[in-house]
Amino acid sequence: MNKSSDHTEPKATTKKDCCQTSHADHHSDVQPSSGAKYFCPMCPGVESDHPGDCPKCGMALERNPAWKATTKTRYTCPMHPEVVQDRLGDCPKCGMALEPMLAAHHNEDEGGEERDLCRRLWISTLLTLPVFILAMAHLLPGLGHSHWINGDASRWVQALLSTPVVLWAGAPFFRRGWNSLRSGHWNMWTLIAIGVGAAYAYSVVAILLPSLFPASMQMDGKVALYFEAAAVIIVLVIVGQWLEARARSRTGNAIRALLDLAPRSAHRIRDGADEEISLDEVVVGDLLRVRPGDKIPVDGIVSEGTSSVDESMLTGEPIPVEKKPGDSVSGGTLNTTGGFVMKAQRVGSETLLSQIVDMVAQAQRSRAPIQGLADKFASLFVPAVLVIAVLTFAVWWWFGPEPRLAFAVVNAVAVLIIACPCALGLATPMSIMVGVGRGAREGVLVKDAAALERLEKVTTLLVDKTGTLTEGRPHFSQAIPAGDEAPDTMIQLAASLEQSSEHPLASAVVKAAKDASLPLLPVEDFTSHTGGGVAGRISGRTVLIGKAAFLREQGVTDLDVLEAQAAERQELGETALYMALDGRPAGLLTVSDPIKATTEEALHSLHDLGVKVIMLTGDHTRTAQAVARKLGLDNFKAEVTPADKIAEVRRLHDAGEVVAMAGDGINDAPALAAADVGIAMGTGTDVAMQSAGVTLVKGDLRAIAKAIHLSRATLRNIRQNLVFAFLYNALGIPLAAGVLYPFFGLLLSPIVAGAAMSLSSVSVITNALRLGRAKLG
């Protein structure tokens, strides 16, 4: 497991303190190898991967202080996995922030990038707002010819306030843009760096050296400024980066939540005595004691004792599994009733829990953020703009009026300015923000904008059974008498006996008695047989409840009829408890996990949208088949592990399907992360919700259909916005290049350019706001 810094030092190394000084003073020449975790400060060459005593001098081995430093973190790009380096940074191909390859390192610099972007966002927004107001004030009635609005003071205020926004807040984006130009992988960062840089540089020259510009480019002796365009674009880009950093932070939360499932320590048995040790000191072959209520530390085999283990984090099923000597147990699962001794088989990164953590990390890393159409547009638009700017300069240099150089420079720069992606920068985030708010009102929480983008094309929905299709809690179904006993009598006696049991099935029986207002009776001689059942005396009658094998051990015979009935109930998805009174079979008590009332309606809506629904569950095949048949599912797979679920996601990917996964448990986390869209039930575990891009607040599957409708409406809106932005650029760039000059002697007026830029942005914002009234289904 993760060698977390908050693990306590092992007790076996208490000798270290008393000789630390002598080691530092007299044995500094003894250096452990970089790969050794423990070493002897007295005997060179004595090293070990676990604590203990030196076989030569008997001194306690010391922890190698350099050991953790040798475990280097390597970083990769989620969009380009071939990019790997040993330090944080940006991808040289797409400019995206690199992420750690190992799940254990996801907590490094926790929230640092998000905090930095948040700080840049607040400061740049406060500085940009007055710049924007001053730049746009001339469009307001009565202020168009205001001396102060158009005066030098206003222009210098814009310059001073926008400079830290561009040069400080936007510095990381210029770095990415430069890297993209240098590497030849042109993207949105190239476009942003060129557009913002041109707008800012042009404006600085215009305010410092206005005489360099031809008179046709001036109004009232002043050249138009574009400080507000440069600053606003920087703010919009920071907003997008901050949202992306928050999404990556949630990814880290999911990893940390999974890592926290493992206990911090274990109780090792050595020389007949128990000692508490740090989890990273457990080695294969150690005998470990697991007490009732403890989490199992590592994967292993039960050596002594019996118990019931809650494995819902792995299987999703709420009913504990009985464990006896020879049975396997998994680290992170919860021991419920009895204590036992286990032998460690897989430790550290080899445990099933660690493998789940790595599956989640790898799956989340493989998910690209929402770059979408804007990036595709940029890959074509950037070279086109550069070519047009160069051609503009060349044409004006060769064929323009005097001063040719001034006209060539000004018009070439005008092309770069007019290409500044103001409306393009607004197109996606505005639609996303409005769409996310619309979904929240319907109980659909979109935590990852990329998930909203991918929902549009989902063809297959994978669903967990327990807690997703069903309520996720055992409910009492019915009492089936084998003789003359009344069902209410069976329930009353069973609930009276089971009230002393901690088993979830027992809780369901007790609740059924309370719901029927049946008083619980006093119990004498209560005994619980782990893995079998419970026994006791009530009102002079001997009552037994449990498995058929347990009743036979207690001398009860003639159970064949009840076993046949139990098999029939299992075909219907129910679990049967056998009951005997005074040594004779009394009947069956059946418990089930009922299907949610809204599930069938939700499945009909999904089928109407053309989405296939497949159930993946860790439950028994007969139970899963009963649920699938009742709900009319397209397919199902039973008795699957978390690895099986993620394998099914990949199989469907290979078949060309766009996959969404809906689940609520820890066992669903890897598949939720690996799917194109992970959808978590709001009634489920935190790990599931942190691994998914979409959360259904009420755990209602009907909201998935609403989420798909929302995705389609949002993506349609984004495409419309991009069309507006593209038309603005398609019309503005030729005008900025001066195509009208040979025919009409006209160059693009700065006022017209500013108005066109504003109009384009207003059209994008207005169109995005329409999403707030979108009908979802």
Side-chain angles (χ1 to χ4, degrees):
M1 291 301 296
N2 178 25
K3 278 78 176 175
S4 173
S5 59
D6 57 357
H7 285 170
T8 56
E9 288 293 323
K11 294 181 179 179
T13 59
T14 51
K15 296 180 185 178
K16 174 181 176 179
D17 296 331
C18 67
C19 64
Q20 192 168 9
T21 303
S22 62
H23 165 57
D25 294 341
H26 305 292
H27 303 286
S28 58
D29 57 321
V30 179
Q31 299 293 333
S33 68
S34 60
K37 191 174 179 183
Y38 295 90
F39 73 104
C40 178
M42 300 287 293
C43 305
V46 176
E47 299 173 348
S48 175
D49 289 333
H50 52 84
D53 297 330
C54 175
K56 293 184 178 180
C57 66
M59 185 176 181
L61 299 181
E62 294 189 10
R63 185 187 292 273
N64 178 4
W67 182 78
K68 287 190 177 182
T70 63
T71 310
K72 288 187 177 180
T73 307
R74 296 179 67 79
Y75 300 88
T76 187
C77 174
M79 297 188 68
H80 300 93
E82 69 276 11
V83 175
V84 178
Q85 63 184 46
D86 58 2
R87 65 186 183 281
L88 277 171
D90 300 324
C91 175
K93 292 188 175 182
C94 66
M96 184 178 179
L98 301 181
E99 296 185 357
M101 298 182 67
L102 295 178
H105 298 294
H106 269 256
N107 59 351
E108 294 184 359
D109 191 30
E110 180 181 349
E113 181 187 10
E114 184 181 351
R115 286 192 299 271
D116 177 63
L117 286 169
C118 186
R119 181 173 62 253
R120 291 175 188 265
L121 177 60
W122 275 108
I123 295 174
S124 59
T125 300
L126 292 174
L127 293 173
T128 299
L129 190 58
V131 175
F132 182 79
I133 293 173
L134 289 173
M136 295 293 107
H138 69 277
L139 299 176
L140 298 176
L143 295 178
H145 299 286
S146 169
H147 176 72
W148 193 90
I149 291 297
N150 297 304
D152 289 337
S154 172
R155 294 163 67 85
W156 277 103
V157 167
Q158 294 179 51
L160 292 174
L161 293 179
S162 62
T163 294
V165 175
V166 175
L167 300 185
W168 171 71
F173 312 143
F174 284 106
R175 184 182 68 248
R176 293 180 183 182
W178 169 248
N179 289 337
S180 69
L181 282 171
R182 188 176 58 181
S183 65
H185 297 282
W186 293 350
N187 49 46
M188 274 298 293
W189 301 114
T190 321
L191 184 61
I192 290 167
I194 291 174
V196 173
Y200 179 76
Y202 176 95
S203 302
V204 169
V205 174
I207 198 172
L208 293 177
L209 301 169
S211 60
L212 295 179
F213 294 82
S216 59
M217 299 296 294
Q218 302 182 23
M219 291 194 66
D220 300 326
K222 300 183 186 301
V223 183
L225 304 178
Y226 292 95
F227 286 121
E228 89 288 350
V232 166
I233 291 170
I234 291 295
V235 170
L236 290 173
V237 173
I238 292 176
V239 169
Q241 291 299 292
W242 177 60
L243 293 174
E244 184 181 315
R246 290 187 65 194
R248 286 201 300 272
S249 176
R250 282 191 294 271
T251 297
N253 290 340
I255 300 296
R256 285 185 289 276
L258 283 168
L259 290 171
D260 287 343
L261 291 174
R264 295 294 185 186
S265 61
H267 295 90
R268 181 171 61 191
I269 302 175
R270 176 170 287 184
D271 299 328
D274 290 4
E275 59 175 346
E276 185 173 354
I277 60 173
S278 177
L279 188 65
D280 61 342
E281 296 172 24
V282 177
V283 297
V284 174
D286 278 349
L287 292 179
L288 307 175
R289 188 180 304 281
V290 182
R291 299 166 180 169
D294 283 354
K295 288 183 178 179
I296 296 171
V298 296
D299 295 359
I301 297 291
V302 176
S303 299
E304 302 175 16
T306 58
S307 184
S308 296
V309 176
D310 181 354
E311 296 184 335
S312 58
M313 61 160 282
L314 300 178
T315 65
E317 303 309 313
I319 301 174
V321 179
E322 312 297 344
K323 298 293 182 180
K324 59 184 184 300
D327 289 342
S328 61
V329 289
S330 299
T333 56
L334 180 65
N335 182 36
T336 58
T337 55
F340 60 89
V341 174
M342 62 173 288
K343 184 177 182 179
Q345 280 194 322
R346 291 188 296 273
V347 301
S349 61
E350 296 180 354
T351 65
L352 182 57
L353 177 59
S354 293
Q355 292 170 15
I356 292 176
V357 171
D358 285 335
M359 282 191 287
V360 171
Q362 291 171 14
Q364 288 178 324
R365 245 194 349 258
S366 68
R367 294 164 57 178
I370 188 163
Q371 308 259 356
L373 298 176
D375 246 2
K376 296 175 184 177
F377 176 75
S379 65
L380 301 174
F381 185 63
V382 171
V385 168
L386 294 178
V387 169
I388 292 172
V390 171
L391 289 176
T392 299
F393 180 88
V395 170
W396 281 93
W397 173 257
W398 287 104
F399 303 107
E402 294 293 343
R404 294 182 181 180
L405 179 60
F407 274 101
V409 171
V410 167
N411 286 291
V413 172
V415 169
L416 298 178
I417 291 174
I418 208 71
C420 224
C422 192
L424 191 64
L426 280 170
T428 296
M430 277 302 301
S431 296
I432 291 294
M433 284 189 284
V434 177
V436 167
R438 180 71 182 89
R441 295 203 301 271
E442 297 290 338
V444 179
L445 299 185
V446 179
K447 300 186 295 180
D448 181 359
L452 187 62
E453 180 188 29
R454 287 187 288 259
L455 261 173
E456 179 196 33
K457 299 178 181 178
V458 165
T459 59
T460 301
L461 173 67
L462 301 178
V463 292
D464 180 45
K465 178 180 75 70
T466 306
T468 303
L469 297 175
T470 67
E471 294 185 6
R473 299 182 304 275
H475 284 243
F476 181 79
S477 297
Q478 62 179 321
I480 305 175
D484 297 331
E485 292 293 340
D488 281 354
T489 301
M490 292 176 60
I491 295 172
Q492 182 182 36
L493 292 174
S496 300
L497 185 62
E498 295 279 24
Q499 65 180 320
S500 301
S501 174
E502 298 175 353
H503 202 285
L505 297 183
S507 301
V509 176
V510 173
K511 185 178 183 300
K514 291 181 178 178
D515 291 343
S517 301
L518 299 174
L520 300 184
L521 305 174
V523 179
E524 299 175 351
D525 302 328
F526 174 83
T527 56
S528 175
H529 301 258
T530 302
V534 292
R537 293 185 59 80
I538 303 175
S539 302
R541 307 183 70 179
T542 301
V543 183
L544 301 174
I545 300 174
K547 298 179 178 179
F550 168 67
L551 266 63
R552 285 194 176 94
E553 290 174 1
Q554 304 302 314
V556 181
T557 57
D558 300 327
L559 295 174
D560 295 344
V561 175
L562 287 184
E563 287 179 315
Q565 290 178 313
E568 293 176 0
R569 304 316 301 178
Q570 287 175 337
E571 292 287 349
L572 298 176
E574 297 179 354
T575 300
L577 297 173
Y578 293 80
M579 183 174 183
L581 295 174
D582 295 325
R584 299 177 59 83
L588 296 175
L589 302 166
T590 63
V591 177
S592 65
D593 184 7
I595 294 171
K596 291 180 179 179
T598 58
T599 295
E600 291 190 48
E601 180 185 346
L603 295 177
H604 284 307
S605 299
L606 290 167
H607 283 141
D608 290 341
L609 287 168
V611 178
K612 293 178 288 187
V613 183
I614 300 174
M615 179 177 69
L616 303 180
T617 177
D619 209 346
H620 297 294
T621 301
R622 283 189 296 186
T623 302
Q625 188 174 31
V627 173
R629 184 170 56 246
K630 182 175 180 180
L631 294 176
L633 299 176
D634 295 284
N635 201 354
F636 77 94
K637 290 197 172 185
E639 300 182 35
V640 296
T641 65
D644 293 333
K645 291 185 178 183
I646 202 171
E648 179 65 11
V649 171
R650 290 170 178 160
R651 185 190 70 78
L652 290 168
H653 277 161
D654 293 341
E657 301 284 344
V658 180
V659 183
M661 171 73 191
D664 72 331
I666 295 165
N667 62 308
D668 301 318
L672 287 171
D676 294 288
V677 184
I679 304 172
M681 302 293 109
T683 52
T685 63
D686 289 341
V687 172
M689 287 185 278
Q690 289 162 353
S691 299
V694 176
T695 297
L696 309 183
V697 176
K698 299 178 181 178
D700 188 344
L701 277 179
R702 291 178 298 181
I704 295 181
K706 292 183 179 180
I708 294 175
H709 281 294
L710 175 65
S711 172
R712 293 177 179 179
T714 302
L715 268 293
R716 185 166 56 248
N717 193 270
I718 289 175
R719 294 186 186 103
Q720 293 167 352
N721 285 346
L722 290 175
V723 169
F724 289 139
F726 175 76
L727 287 177
Y728 160 72
N729 289 115
L731 294 174
I733 289 176
L735 293 178
V739 295
L740 297 180
Y741 189 83
F743 307 102
F744 305 103
L746 297 176
L747 291 175
L748 184 66
S749 167
I751 294 179
V752 174
M757 186 178 293
S758 301
L759 181 62
S760 176
S761 299
V762 169
S763 64
V764 165
I765 294 171
T766 303
N767 187 55
L769 292 176
R770 291 174 50 246
L771 269 177
R773 301 186 300 274
K775 185 178 180 182
L776 306 183

